[in-house]
Amino acid sequence: WSRTGEFKDKGLNPGQFAWMYQGIESVETPDPYTAVIHFSQPFAPFINYTASNYNPIVSREIYEEDGHLKDRIVGTGPWQLDPAASQKGTRWVWKKHAGYWDSGKPYLDEVRWLVIPDNAAALAAFQARQVDHLARTALNFRAVDDLKKAVPQAQTMKYSQPFGNHLFINNRQKPLDDVRVRRAISLAIDRDELAMADQGEKAPWALPGAISGLFTDAEARQLIKYDPVEAKRLLAEAGFPNGIEIPWEYPGQHYGQGYVTRLELLQAQFKKAGINMALKNLENTDYITRRRAGNSLVSLASVYCGTSDDIDAHIYACYHSKSKQAYMFINDPEMDRLLEAQRQEPDPEKRREALRNAVKRLTEQAYGVATYYPSHFEAWQPHVKSYMPNLSGWFGGSRWDSVWLDK
């Protein structure tokens, strides 16, 4: 990922998560089971990044044979992809890895990962006992209630997402280069109404770059407000007394109907503040290309910017000017300084305070706008044993190597 050492001049494309290795100087391998990594300065998040799914140690021979690592799946997981049985966009079939490092596991001989874009069809398949597990993308609070009635024995779990849903705001494009316009966008969002419509209950408010627990809900509600009148005043001060129109691109049904419904509610909220969000439906590839190139003005994120391994993967990846995934296009030396300071602080309490300082500046300048910390649901059939969801890992997040079926 770092493209250092002997790989420095190989002409490789930048690593997707290169910010996980920023400042690396050298790597030593004193024995076959040890890697010693030296950085030019303290790098607190790296202890978490070493355990990331995105940082596997792969076979050198693969690179030497192919000249890259993009065509073959190489790892130490419990299953191996069966390309012949898989069909891109429809299903992925994984066969038990006989050489798995944890002897005796996995218990399942095969995992069939079905791609069912229509949530209603996914629910119907679950109710007909045609699928064993429903990922969180297929469920909301209404669907869970219906599912419990149809399949009373089904196991379900609700859990909170540690990072808030947020808006990508392109800070280098007019009129979003004006902090008053960005603040107006934040003031126009009724986060309680959004949460009630989305999950049937209020939720803690989120701040840009923060994860749940870094600020209390009371602190967040002091730093951000819902005030469409003040939003209109700021727009007038910025030169838009009659309101403003901002194009808003989104990837069709790629994220499901719930995502589109959320957009439509946000659009209605913005109108009350004199902001007309002109929704434009794009193919997902076009949407991603335009956002990465800095051609989109505003978009609603359904996921975080980086990974779930460390808060740095959320705040640095999203907001540092040198991050490859900083689609907010911020150019603020003070913001960069704050983001770098939290990386260099090994003391947990001092680092927490450094992170809070960075989030406060993000909020004051409205470089990004967050909404609330949403809840997610998963469901699995009663014959699926030893399953417990979380927010990271394969197949929605669980040690699936410990799962077995009792039927």
Side-chain angles (χ1 to χ4, degrees), residues 118-353:
D118 183 73
N119 289 349
L123 286 167
F126 186 88
Q127 292 174 10
R129 275 66 168 184
Q130 295 172 336
V131 297
D132 298 306
H133 170 262
L134 280 180
R136 58 181 178 261
T137 52
L139 292 169
N140 58 30
F141 72 99
R142 296 183 185 88
V144 168
D145 288 342
D146 293 340
L147 184 147
K148 287 180 178 178
K149 294 173 185 176
V151 189
Q153 300 83 17
Q155 304 295 303
T156 62
M157 176 167 282
K158 172 185 175 182
Y159 51 98
S160 295
Q161 179 175 289
F163 40 86
N165 289 338
H166 65 282
L167 308 184
F168 285 102
I169 292 181
N170 191 333
N171 289 264
R172 74 181 181 192
Q173 292 270 22
K174 292 185 178 300
L176 301 178
D177 59 343
D178 190 321
V179 66
R180 294 168 295 189
V181 176
R182 300 196 300 268
R183 285 174 179 163
I185 289 174
S186 181
L187 288 164
I189 299 174
D190 186 342
R191 293 164 174 83
D192 284 336
E193 181 188 44
L194 196 63
M196 287 295 296
D198 204 28
Q199 57 185 44
E201 61 185 7
K202 292 182 179 180
W205 286 14
L207 298 173
I211 60 172
S212 179
L214 188 61
F215 290 81
T216 66
D217 184 45
E219 287 177 319
R221 290 171 187 260
Q222 286 295 315
L223 291 169
I224 51 178
K225 304 286 185 182
Y226 170 56
D227 192 340
V229 174
E230 175 63 9
K232 285 184 176 180
R233 189 196 69 78
L234 284 173
L235 288 178
E237 186 180 291
F240 303 100
N242 298 318
I244 191 171
E245 179 169 312
I246 298 176
W248 185 318
E249 298 170 350
Y250 70 100
Q253 291 287 339
H254 183 75
Y255 294 134
Q257 182 56 43
Y259 176 86
V260 177
T261 301
R262 195 177 306 128
L263 280 182
E264 292 170 346
L265 177 54
L266 279 168
Q267 185 184 42
Q269 290 182 355
F270 285 129
K271 280 188 176 180
K272 296 176 184 178
I275 303 170
N276 179 29
M277 288 295 188
L279 297 180
K280 184 178 181 181
N281 188 343
L282 298 177
E283 289 294 324
N284 186 51
T285 52
D286 294 337
Y287 165 77
I288 292 173
T289 299
R290 285 183 54 78
R291 191 180 72 178
R292 290 178 176 175
N295 296 323
S296 296
L297 267 71
V298 181
S299 57
L300 176 64
S302 64
V303 294
Y304 42 90
C305 296
T307 71
S308 58
D309 305 291
D310 188 280
I311 185 174
D312 178 76
H314 180 50
I315 192 169
Y316 187 96
C318 284
Y319 298 104
H320 194 279
S321 64
K322 299 295 193 297
S323 169
K324 183 182 176 182
Q325 292 168 285
Y327 305 135
M328 267 64 82
F329 301 100
I330 301 165
N331 184 18
D332 180 352
E334 176 60 15
M335 190 71 252
D336 284 353
R337 185 191 69 78
L338 290 169
L339 293 174
E340 291 160 10
Q342 62 83 21
R343 293 187 130 197
Q344 298 167 16
E345 180 50 68
D347 182 273
E349 287 304 314
K350 291 180 180 178
R351 186 179 179 218
R352 185 175 187 275
E353 191 57 33

Side-chain angles (χ1 to χ4, degrees), residues 109-126:
D109 293 324
E110 181 177 287
V111 172
R112 299 171 190 168
W113 186 2
L114 305 180
V115 181
I116 308 177
D118 183 73
N119 289 349
L123 286 167
F126 186 88

